[in-house]
Amino acid sequence: MDVELRQLRCLVAIVDEGTFTDAALALGVSQAAVSRTLASLERALGARLLTRTSRSVAPTGTGLRVVAHARRVLAEVDDLVREVTSGRAHLRIGYAWAALGRHTLPFQRRWSAGHPETELHLVRTNSPTAGLAEGACDLAVVRRAPDDRRFESVIVGLERRLCAMAADDPLARRRSVRLADLTGRTLLVDRRTGTTTADLWPPEARPAVEETQDVDDWLTVIATGRCVGTTAESTANQYPRPGVVYRPVRDAEPIAVWLAWWRSDPHPAARAVMELLTSLYGSA
């Protein structure tokens, strides 16, 4: 069974315009072409879709159901065409846990001021590529270098590594902590998108590890005092939480912030985004 978009458009036009003649005018074809197209659709579906009199056209019960589906299909196709043909006027930047931390709002405002022709959207997708592999975004801000050769990536900045802990944790009284202070604790990590693994510690001094896959759950558990976590500075900026405090881990290496995009199909705004982010992180 082959159903074509032109057949669906013809059916919807007939129903909307009320007559074959008016549908032909709306579609810019002959009345005979409208009749042939409708007939071919009815043959393909094996059902009568319209009842016709000398004065009017009305959908059958089956026709009403087909018209409803046709409208949805045509709307989806129109959205697809619009996204592909005018998609370069939109820029979707994906991120997993935290976007750009304290640089998020300055980036949004400076982008809008400098590039009003390209509408910016930040999209949170908790996947290793922050939605890039899934097609949810055009560029992605990630804190682990993509190991997929389909993607190009560049470091745009560095962020301190912080320890998140319950506000009444004894370590919370300190201005900073060391990795050794966390030995013997239970570390809550997101293995898919997080920046923390037990490899930060020597083999003989590694903390126990539990897993989560969501930043809100991560914070909720940490607030109880059962676990601690280490994360990029941007998480603290984007997710302040009552009952949770963040302290710098002074002997841990900073976390690189990467901008990634499709190697074979880079968004035209990729370079401008890279330059703006590098400038924002560089002025910190």
Side-chain angles (χ1 to χ4, degrees):
M1 182 188 298
D2 292 323
V3 175
E4 302 176 13
L5 292 178
R6 66 181 183 86
Q7 295 170 325
L8 299 181
R9 292 194 190 279
C10 179
L11 173 63
V12 170
I14 294 170
V15 172
D16 287 347
E17 300 298 328
T19 67
F20 279 59
T21 301
D22 290 338
L25 290 173
L27 294 171
V29 299
S30 68
Q31 185 174 334
V34 169
S35 297
R36 288 194 300 269
T37 301
L38 176 66
S40 68
L41 177 60
E42 290 181 325
R43 284 196 302 272
L45 295 177
R48 186 75 175 271
L49 302 179
L50 299 176
T51 57
R52 284 154 273 189
T53 68
S54 59
R55 295 185 177 182
S56 65
V57 177
T60 63
T62 299
L64 286 172
R65 295 194 298 274
V66 173
V67 168
H69 282 289
R71 292 190 193 280
R72 289 195 292 271
V73 170
L74 293 172
E76 289 286 345
V77 171
D78 289 344
D79 287 344
L80 171 64
V81 172
R82 192 159 43 246
E83 179 176 339
V84 173
T85 57
S86 64
R88 299 313 191 184
H90 299 270
L91 174 60
R92 301 167 302 164
I93 298 182
Y95 66 96
W97 275 34
L100 303 163
R102 62 190 177 88
H103 300 302
T104 302
L105 185 56
F107 171 71
Q108 291 173 298
R109 289 181 171 173
R110 287 177 61 174
W111 182 265
S112 296
H115 305 272
E117 74 287 352
T118 304
E119 186 176 347
L120 174 66
H121 300 274
L122 297 181
V123 182
R124 182 185 167 201
T125 305
N126 197 38
S127 77
T129 63
L132 196 59
E134 295 81 0
C137 60
D138 307 299
L139 305 173
V141 174
V142 293
R143 288 167 177 82
R144 294 194 310 203
D147 57 4
D148 191 323
R149 293 182 60 84
R150 295 177 299 170
F151 305 126
E152 190 79 41
S153 59
V154 63
I155 295 176
V156 295
L158 298 174
E159 294 177 344
R160 294 184 300 168
R161 189 182 299 272
L162 305 182
C163 177
M165 65 193 77
D168 58 356
D169 191 297
L171 292 177
R173 295 194 292 267
R174 303 184 185 181
R175 297 181 62 181
S176 64
V177 300
R178 294 182 179 273
L179 289 171
D181 297 325
L182 306 180
T183 299
R185 297 297 191 92
T186 299
L187 192 68
L188 192 59
V189 304
D190 183 345
R191 293 189 190 277
R192 295 186 308 163
T193 64
T195 57
T196 300
T197 70
D199 293 338
L200 286 171
W201 287 262
E204 70 281 1
R206 289 174 178 169
V209 172
E210 291 188 13
E211 292 190 43
T212 186
Q213 294 185 352
D214 181 82
V215 63
D216 287 316
D217 291 341
W218 183 78
L219 288 165
T220 298
V221 172
I222 288 173
T224 68
R226 185 168 62 82
C227 297
V228 296
T230 68
T231 187
E233 186 175 3
S234 56
T235 304
N237 294 119
Q238 194 150 336
Y239 296 102
R241 177 69 65 91
V244 175
V245 298
Y246 297 89
R247 296 291 182 262
V249 183
R250 60 179 181 269
D251 58 344
E253 293 292 324
I255 296 170
V257 181
W258 299 77
L259 182 69
W261 59 89
W262 283 91
R263 186 186 301 272
S264 62
D265 187 25
H267 193 285
R271 178 166 293 278
V273 172
M274 178 184 65
E275 291 174 352
L276 178 53
L277 291 181
T278 302
S279 172
L280 286 169
Y281 275 100
S283 65

